[in-house]
Amino acid sequence: MNIVAALSRIRRNASFWLIALGQEAMDLSLRTHADLRTRIVESPGRTLDDAALAALVADLRSIAAKTLPAGDLTYGIFSGRREALARAIITLVSDAATGRPIAFNALAVMQVARDGETQEVVHLGLVMVDPEARGKGLSGVLYGLTTLLLFIRDGLRPKWISNVTQVPAVAGMVCETFSDVYPSPQPEARQSFAHLELARGIMRAHRSVFGVGEDAGFDERRFVITNAYTGGSDALKKTYDDAPKHRDEVYNGFCARELDYVRGDDLLQLGRIDLAAARRYLTREIPSGSLPALLATSAVLALQRMVLPLLHWLDDTRAFGTLRPHLPTGETPP
């Protein structure tokens, strides 16, 4: 029966992945838990009509109303402005039986200048969970599923991600899920020039994405945003005692040392989703030893060792490291 159930689940999810990879702007639904349904909507400010957009924003606000102790958010997706929602990717989790929204993540795609070109950075965005639904294991769906979809749709090329948080549980999750994350308490964490260049670009042009005002400071050595809660996100400010903790004390201690919770500091984390991160996500989210886990791990290893290098080499429209430089738009290779 376990094999039959696993095969049934694979068939059920196969259409989801085929549709996801074929849509220019995703609008997908998937049963990610026995009693929960997840909807992923890309660029709703551009793709939804007025009624559908208003209904989506109402669902997001209903979750926020149960999550925030006081105050209303005024920036980003809560504003209801189409321009703010045009660059967002919403992951909304609802009760499958009643349709009641219980959790969401609002990713944002930022275009950041780097090395004279434009680099796409996926900002992990705001996550809120109805207090009554906590403990259902939603973090993997809210933080990982959509970034995995974007990574696969882009031909499995590494993608930069960013995250702004003062919550130890979230900071630790980012460190454990993605690759080359900085800042991080892990001994191998290093700040590269790419990290620094992207961080400067984000702080220069994209503060509004995460509700940080122009008067907030930025410590480039530690990647700490000082006095961060001045740009519409004031209601999210927490004390250290109130901030959800990670199961590993190393992340709790790291946040306690690096952040001034009275002033209202945040970490600006930068990392990448690549094949190693995808493998970590899949093996963590799919039960170890199950048939889907075996198939997923085998597929990732095959892509990493054989298929992916060939696909990247044959695609002459994009750079391939030092072997094939990037061509300006409109030019064709010799």
Side-chain angles (χ1 to χ4, degrees), residues 6-327:
L7 290 173
S8 176
R9 181 180 177 187
I10 291 172
R11 286 196 302 270
R12 189 167 61 249
N13 292 348
S15 61
F16 169 84
W17 288 96
L18 289 173
I19 294 172
L21 299 179
Q23 286 184 332
E24 181 179 350
M26 292 182 289
D27 191 345
L28 307 162
S29 290
L30 176 70
R31 190 178 286 256
T32 47
H33 295 70
D35 57 344
L36 301 177
R37 180 163 291 280
T38 298
R39 182 187 180 192
I40 300 171
V41 190
E42 185 176 6
S43 304
R46 181 168 53 87
T47 59
L48 300 184
D49 60 31
D50 290 344
L53 186 64
L56 178 63
V57 173
D59 284 343
L60 303 180
R61 287 173 175 166
S62 72
I63 298 169
K66 296 180 180 180
T67 305
L68 298 177
D72 294 322
L73 294 177
T74 58
Y75 75 97
I77 58 170
F78 294 105
S79 69
R81 298 193 309 271
R82 281 193 174 272
E83 57 269 27
L85 288 155
R87 62 172 178 249
I89 306 174
I90 305 297
T91 304
L92 178 66
V93 181
S94 304
D95 184 275
T98 66
R100 179 176 65 88
I102 63 171
F104 74 84
N105 182 16
L107 279 72
V109 178
M110 303 181 294
Q111 303 297 329
V112 183
R114 179 191 166 206
D115 292 339
E117 298 181 355
T118 300
Q119 176 76 61
E120 185 176 275
V121 179
V122 178
H123 183 66
L124 295 185
L126 179 64
V127 171
M128 288 189 174
V129 180
D130 186 328
E132 296 179 3
R134 289 173 184 168
K136 290 182 176 288
L138 299 178
S139 60
V141 171
L142 293 170
Y143 284 102
L145 179 60
T146 307
T147 54
L148 180 64
L149 281 169
L150 295 172
F151 169 63
I152 293 173
R153 194 176 65 177
D154 198 37
L156 303 181
R157 288 170 171 80
K159 297 182 74 69
W160 283 97
I161 63 94
S162 64
N163 180 56
V164 171
T165 190
Q166 62 174 184
V167 177
V170 175
M173 180 281 303
V174 170
C175 293
E176 292 183 347
T177 301
F178 298 99
S179 300
D180 301 328
V181 174
Y182 184 86
S184 166
Q186 297 302 327
E188 67 273 13
R190 296 289 184 275
Q191 182 195 109
S192 68
F193 184 68
H195 284 100
L196 181 59
E197 196 172 12
L198 288 173
R200 286 173 173 172
I202 290 170
M203 293 302 297
R204 180 170 57 249
H206 298 283
R207 292 178 179 228
S208 61
V209 171
F210 38 87
V212 169
E214 292 300 322
D215 53 342
F218 182 59
D219 185 329
E220 291 189 350
R221 181 181 64 83
R222 299 183 299 133
F223 275 27
V224 171
I225 305 172
T226 57
N227 192 28
Y229 294 85
T230 58
S233 60
D234 311 49
L236 293 175
K237 183 178 177 181
K238 296 178 177 63
T239 66
Y240 176 75
D241 291 337
D242 289 337
K245 305 302 187 293
H246 197 276
R247 62 183 179 279
D248 189 337
E249 275 299 323
V250 68
Y251 299 111
N252 302 332
F254 177 71
C255 289
R257 290 192 306 273
E258 297 296 322
L259 302 178
D260 184 333
Y261 282 82
V262 175
R263 179 173 57 195
D265 291 355
D266 273 337
L267 297 173
L268 170 58
Q269 294 178 292
L270 282 166
R272 295 185 303 156
I273 180 167
D274 53 15
L275 272 175
R279 185 170 64 246
R280 284 193 297 271
Y281 173 78
L282 288 170
T283 55
R284 186 186 66 203
E285 295 303 315
I286 302 175
S288 177
S290 69
L291 180 59
L294 177 61
L295 292 176
T297 302
S298 300
V300 170
L301 289 174
L303 285 167
Q304 187 173 18
R305 299 295 183 183
M306 297 176 291
V307 181
L308 187 59
L310 177 62
L311 292 177
H312 284 183
W313 177 255
L314 293 175
D315 183 2
D316 61 8
T317 64
R318 306 194 193 194
F320 189 77
T322 59
L323 298 180
R324 184 172 61 237
H326 178 71
L327 292 171

